[in-house]
Amino acid sequence: MKEGFDRKKFHIDHKYFLQPREFGDLTLLQIGERFCNAGSGFPEHEQICTEITYVYDGVALNTINGVTARMKANELNFTFPPQKHCISAPPDSTMRYFYIGFQLKESHPLYGELKKIEEQNGQVYLSDPFRTSTFFLNAITNNAADDALSAFVLKTSIDQILANFLRAYRGERKIGLSSVGNAEVVLFNMLSYLDENFLSFRNLSELSEKLGYCASYLSHLFHAAMRCSPTAYCLEKKLQYSLSLLGEENKSVTETAEILQYDTIHSFSKAFKSRFGVSPAAYKKDGST
């Protein structure tokens, strides 16, 4: 289902091409996120501004000037005029991504480095070691508000996205606590990773690979401190998040199950009822547990 790409789960899209949002040395032209069904996406278009795309979950087929690359979760792409750009989910996978379109004035401290990347006229794909999805979410959330503090957070979040992109481009590694052998630091890094990736977390092997410690050590350390396993910790975060999705965000039970990455509505409903004592449908109807 390539032509049209009209099957999407949800699409939050804020365009400011006619009335750009000005933040001094930065101009915001577009910001949003899209959760795509398998085989759907955004059709080819010519870039009219610089854009950073971030795959939050799933797999993306990202095409620039007719050349397609396969992007996985936590990867960034950089496009700019006059490149032609298209992004979609493959036939066998859903995909959620964030994007931001912008322009910088020469006075912006990152203008020169980003301009050099554009002048190379290549295709840029980077793995993100800095949990940049947090700043995309902050930017999208604060973009919807109309007050000075939200505008400040929006600009700060965009600058952080640009800085993280450049750090990744330079090959810098994750910045954080790094005292080797310090159990509290290892636990801090575990919690940071799980808090960011609780929707997609699968098993201890994933955590072991990311942090460079054996799975048994991480399991023992986490359980001793948190009195639960990393899997149980992520499950609790998912179920707590489901309350917000069903309530404040008014998502349907089906949409919520998909966002939380349950294989079926039944498995989500079973986990929800086991935790809260009512079905998600009943919670949504009554508005409380």
Side-chain angles (χ1 to χ4, degrees):
M1 173 179 211
K2 184 174 182 180
E3 186 173 354
F5 289 130
D6 57 358
R7 293 192 303 116
K8 58 180 178 293
K9 294 181 182 294
F10 66 80
H11 188 192
I12 299 171
D13 186 31
H14 300 283
K15 295 185 176 75
Y16 303 106
F17 297 108
L18 297 180
Q19 292 183 309
R21 294 199 66 179
E22 301 287 352
F23 298 94
D25 51 14
L26 184 149
T27 301
L28 177 64
L29 296 173
Q30 188 175 22
I31 186 171
E33 66 173 299
R34 188 179 181 110
F35 195 167
C36 301
N37 280 300
S40 70
F42 198 80
E44 185 177 79
H45 56 285
E46 184 172 318
Q47 290 296 126
I48 60 175
C49 64
T50 305
E51 180 178 314
I52 292 179
T53 303
Y54 186 101
V55 177
Y56 183 65
D57 187 61
V59 176
L61 300 179
N62 196 71
T63 303
I64 301 174
N65 292 339
V67 179
T68 300
R70 193 176 178 91
M71 295 177 65
K72 59 181 184 295
N74 302 317
E75 288 191 342
L76 296 150
N77 172 237
F78 183 73
T79 52
F80 45 88
Q83 290 181 328
K84 293 184 178 180
H85 184 210
C86 169
I87 185 170
S88 64
D92 58 348
S93 174
T94 60
M95 182 265 292
R96 182 182 178 190
Y97 69 97
F98 307 129
Y99 54 90
I100 183 167
F102 61 94
Q103 293 175 339
L104 299 182
K105 295 182 173 63
E106 292 187 16
S107 57
H108 192 283
L110 304 182
Y111 173 86
E113 289 192 69
L114 291 173
K115 194 65 178 177
K116 287 180 182 178
I117 297 174
E118 289 188 25
E119 290 171 352
Q120 293 176 13
N121 199 31
Q123 298 190 12
V124 181
Y125 294 96
L126 302 170
S127 177
D128 170 42
F130 304 112
R131 302 201 306 275
T132 305
S133 58
T134 300
F135 300 102
F136 272 101
L137 289 167
N138 283 345
I140 292 168
T141 301
N142 283 278
N143 181 65
D146 185 21
D147 62 88
L149 284 177
S150 295
F152 175 82
V153 174
L154 171 60
K155 169 62 162 58
T156 302
S157 297
I158 295 173
D159 281 336
Q160 187 70 61
I161 291 168
L162 303 186
N164 284 0
F165 168 78
L166 285 172
R167 281 174 169 164
Y169 185 79
R170 295 173 184 171
E172 294 183 20
R173 303 185 66 176
K174 180 177 179 178
I175 296 174
L177 301 177
S178 58
S179 301
V180 177
N182 188 323
E184 291 183 349
V185 172
V186 176
L187 180 61
F188 170 86
N189 289 333
M190 290 176 73
L191 287 167
S192 296
Y193 180 81
L194 294 175
D195 286 344
E196 177 62 26
N197 299 281
F198 69 92
L199 288 178
S200 59
F201 178 73
R202 293 292 178 264
N203 51 52
L204 270 172
S205 296
E206 173 187 335
L207 203 54
S208 176
E209 181 181 348
K210 291 291 184 182
L211 300 182
Y213 291 87
C214 71
S216 59
Y217 169 70
L218 294 178
S219 177
H220 174 77
L221 179 64
F222 194 90
H223 197 278
M226 305 301 294
R227 297 294 186 267
C228 67
S229 68
T231 300
Y233 179 82
C234 289
L235 175 60
E236 177 65 15
K237 287 189 71 68
K238 287 173 72 170
L239 292 174
Q240 291 294 337
Y241 183 36
S242 73
L243 298 179
S244 175
L245 293 172
L246 293 167
E248 297 171 12
E249 299 192 30
N250 198 30
K251 301 294 185 186
S252 69
V253 175
T254 299
E255 289 173 323
T256 301
E258 290 175 340
I259 292 170
L260 298 182
Q261 301 185 30
Y262 278 90
D263 293 332
T264 65
I265 299 176
H266 174 73
S267 60
F268 165 57
S269 297
K270 182 178 179 181
F272 188 97
K273 187 171 184 178
S274 176
R275 172 63 178 85
F276 299 115
V278 296
S279 70
Y283 173 83
K284 185 172 179 62
K285 180 180 179 181
D286 297 339
S288 64
T289 54

